[in-house]
Amino acid sequence: MSDFHTVISGGVVVTEASQERADIGIADGRIAAIGAGLRGARVIDASGRLVMPGGVDTHCHIEQLRADGTTDEEGFVSGSVSAFAGGTTSVVTFSMQFKGQAIGPSLAAYRERAGKAMVDYAFHQIITDATDEVIRDEIPALAAAGIRSLKVFLTYDPLHLDDRGYLRVLAAARRAGMLVTVHCENYEAIGWMTEALLAAGLSAPKYHAWSRPVMLEREATYRAIALAELVDQPIQIFHVSCAEVAEEVARAQARGVKVWAETCPQYLTLTQEDMDRPGFEGAKFMCSPAPRGADAAAGLWGQIADGTIWNISSDHSGFSFEGDRGKRAAGPAPNFRDVLNGVPGLAARLPLVFSEGVSAGRISACDFVRLTATNPARLFGLQEKGRIEVGADADLVLWDPERRVTLTNGVMQHAIDYTPYEGRVVTGWPVLTMRRGEVVMQEGVVTARPGSGRYLARGAYEFIRPAGRLPNGFDASAFG
Ligand code: URP
Ligand code: ZN
Ligand code: ZN
């Protein structure tokens, strides 16, 4: 007589708080029991494995709509395969607002595309135009539709918001009960530097990093935090590239501001030097903020360990190296200003963080779970995800902590034609991924059915409630 549909037996169960041998009983797609000697109709032997929550990747550009009616190359089906191959079971992707347009139609089109997903998914809404209609009507409508996070860009043409637009979004988010995520780089200074570099004939991929050095990310991060402080609106700083930037976050956290920081594996493993490879090869490593100097990773690991950095996501970006939709969309070797920014990393995220973090002795397996699953779920209101607890979704990954794997583009199983981690050897590997109790990946073979992913509608949640610290006690967000 079996008590559960499935039992994962004999593994070491890792949560953010503990690591101990236990069985997990699964019924109706949820974790029903954690204990010893559990009996299931199906038993999965996890001896020698770590059993961890499936990864929660809260920064993924998947099938993102473009203004010309096309999309980024990574699709919801290929992105799901890649996510499962790398041990990730939930993603948050981006619905785009096009400047001069309402949000509603592009969100509806994006939702339809996402219906093919196999991974469970939620959306951030990018706000590029803080019109009266967006602020008054559309942002509250997003909350009602289960979208509880907005992304604003302080740089990039044509996406960026000026400070007034950013403030309007912060205030609207405060009224609607949402988190604001921010891309922090100084728009005007990058534009000025870019023009100077190109005028000097410095156009190769490596000059992308010269156009946007650390102080421009640091300045924008300080400004993003200061304006959030003015409104008393919680924010997360996306893709923090180095210690100098994280220091701004740490200082604000110390004075009680509700600000969280995310970093990504590319800032822990790639450097500015990678963009200096021969020919156009350096474009494979171009993302914004740019990878920094060789000592940046050590600084970031310090701030991961001390809790300043809370979340490690992939910032997976669906641009191939070849072809006319990716890095070479503007020609065979365009100048750095015309190269799409971003690197793919959905499948590589967990193996890289485990290898560089846990296997290298920088963090514990519990820290790994917290940084890649539990904290992201907590911060973005994904209540059923990122935890191994009775009642949580049975999203699990069985991990072989000893297995050494050479990363290749084939192993990533994404739709992109390269990985910036080609040839890198990692220690620790996901051997089985389970989404809501269903085995969706075993030894690299993904078996989920397109359309089986679930949209994760998010309701109001306590974690992102404003701190209640307004300058002079005046709540300007109530007026505009
Ligand atoms: O270079 C990057 N990070 N591209 C993706 C878009 C973004 O800014 O997150
Ligand atoms: Zn960004
Ligand atoms: Zn991004």
Side-chain angles (χ1 to χ4, degrees):
M1 181 62 184
S2 51
D3 300 317
F4 304 101
H5 178 269
T6 304
V7 166
I8 298 183
S9 153
V12 172
V13 174
V14 187
T15 71
E16 64 171 348
S18 67
Q19 178 170 349
E20 55 202 12
R21 182 174 292 272
D23 299 343
I24 297 178
I26 296 166
D28 300 325
R30 290 178 184 259
I31 296 172
I34 305 168
L38 302 184
R39 293 176 307 172
R42 177 187 190 190
V43 176
I44 297 175
D45 179 13
S47 359
R49 309 286 185 236
L50 303 178
V51 182
M52 303 191 281
V56 178
D57 191 340
T58 52
H59 189 162
C60 298
H61 300 275
I62 295 180
E63 213 161 321
Q64 194 167 302
L65 302 186
R66 297 181 176 184
D68 64 2
T70 65
T71 65
D72 290 355
E73 287 162 81
E74 192 72 88
F76 275 99
V77 172
S78 57
S80 297
V81 170
S82 191
F84 290 152
T88 286
T89 46
S90 305
V91 295
V92 188
T93 69
F94 293 85
S95 162
M96 176 63 92
Q97 180 203 8
F98 298 104
K99 241 179 184 124
Q101 295 181 26
I103 293 171
S106 60
L107 173 59
Y110 192 59
R111 272 197 86 145
E112 195 171 329
R113 287 182 172 278
K116 308 183 292 292
M118 293 111 89
V119 71
D120 287 351
Y121 59 95
F123 299 144
H124 305 295
Q125 177 63 49
I126 296 173
I127 306 290
T128 61
D129 211 353
T131 63
D132 289 347
E133 293 71 25
V134 165
I135 297 298
R136 189 189 55 230
D137 304 327
E138 291 209 280
I139 288 180
L142 291 170
I147 296 177
R148 291 277 169 178
S149 48
L150 305 174
K151 176 169 187 183
V152 300
F153 291 89
L154 300 185
T155 192
Y156 282 145
D157 269 323
L159 305 179
H160 89 284
L161 289 183
D162 61 15
D163 289 352
R164 179 73 71 100
Y166 172 50
L167 280 166
R168 280 164 62 78
V169 171
L170 289 169
R174 189 175 201 273
R175 291 191 295 270
M178 293 170 146
L179 184 70
V180 176
T181 62
V182 195
H183 180 124
C184 295
E185 292 184 288
N186 183 302
Y187 170 73
E188 296 290 349
I190 291 170
W192 182 77
M193 281 295 282
T194 299
E195 279 169 19
L197 287 162
L198 294 179
L202 305 175
S203 64
K206 79 167 183 177
Y207 297 109
H208 171 71
W210 289 32
S211 74
R212 49 204 334 120
V214 169
M215 76 285 285
L216 302 190
E217 184 187 352
R218 182 173 193 154
E219 180 277 333
T221 301
Y222 174 74
R223 181 161 37 98
I225 293 170
L227 298 185
E229 225 174 328
L230 177 68
V231 179
D232 186 25
Q233 165 57 35
I235 59 171
Q236 181 190 248
I237 309 296
F238 264 154
H239 39 49
V240 168
S241 72
C242 60
E244 292 87 332
V245 172
E247 263 171 29
E248 296 299 336
V249 176
R251 288 220 300 252
Q253 288 170 339
R255 61 180 186 268
V257 180
K258 285 183 101 165
V259 53
W260 293 274
E262 166 209 87
T263 194
C264 313
Q266 48 271 40
Y267 303 111
L268 299 170
T269 56
L270 304 178
T271 71
Q272 198 167 328
E273 290 291 297
D274 287 308
M275 282 183 287
D276 196 16
R277 299 204 187 178
F280 190 58
E281 193 72 10
K284 289 182 175 173
F285 309 90
M286 277 177 68
C287 52
S288 292
R292 304 298 185 192
D295 55 349
L300 286 173
W301 280 114
Q303 286 147 328
I304 289 169
D306 75 17
T308 303
I309 292 173
W310 236 67
N311 178 5
I312 306 181
S313 70
S314 67
D315 193 5
H316 178 80
S317 296
F319 313 131
S320 282
F321 186 60
E322 304 292 353
D324 56 8
R325 287 163 74 196
K327 299 282 184 186
R328 287 189 147 123
N335 73 57
F336 70 84
R337 182 176 54 189
D338 297 334
V339 179
L340 288 168
N341 288 190
V343 295
L346 186 42
R349 178 182 72 122
L350 295 181
L352 285 169
V353 177
F354 190 91
S355 189
E356 292 293 312
V358 183
S359 304
R362 294 182 171 107
I363 57 173
S364 68
C366 295
D367 295 334
F368 172 81
V369 164
R370 184 168 56 251
L371 289 156
T372 59
T374 313
N375 274 350
R378 183 179 277 139
L379 183 56
F380 287 95
L382 301 168
Q383 314 286 5
E384 261 97 58
K385 302 298 188 186
R387 299 176 289 126
I388 299 183
E389 280 172 25
V390 172
D393 281 355
D395 292 347
L396 300 166
V397 59
L398 269 54
W399 198 271
D400 181 345
E402 312 294 341
R403 192 176 300 186
R404 283 171 67 75
V405 172
T406 302
L407 302 185
T408 64
N409 199 47
V411 168
M412 299 295 99
Q413 299 199 48
H414 52 209
I416 313 308
D417 67 357
Y418 82 98
T419 169
Y421 309 110
E422 188 75 34
R424 196 177 285 260
V425 178
V426 292
T427 303
W429 195 251
V431 294
L432 183 148
T433 305
M434 176 177 273
R435 183 218 51 202
R436 284 182 274 110
E438 178 187 345
V439 174
V440 289
M441 186 282 288
Q442 200 158 3
E443 292 294 351
V445 179
V446 173
T447 48
R449 180 180 51 79
S452 57
R454 212 175 254 175
Y455 172 61
L456 302 170
R458 294 177 282 157
Y461 58 110
E462 180 63 20
F463 198 73
I464 57 162
R465 203 153 59 90
R469 300 158 28 107
L470 285 159
N472 306 307
F474 174 65
D475 183 4
S477 73
F479 298 89

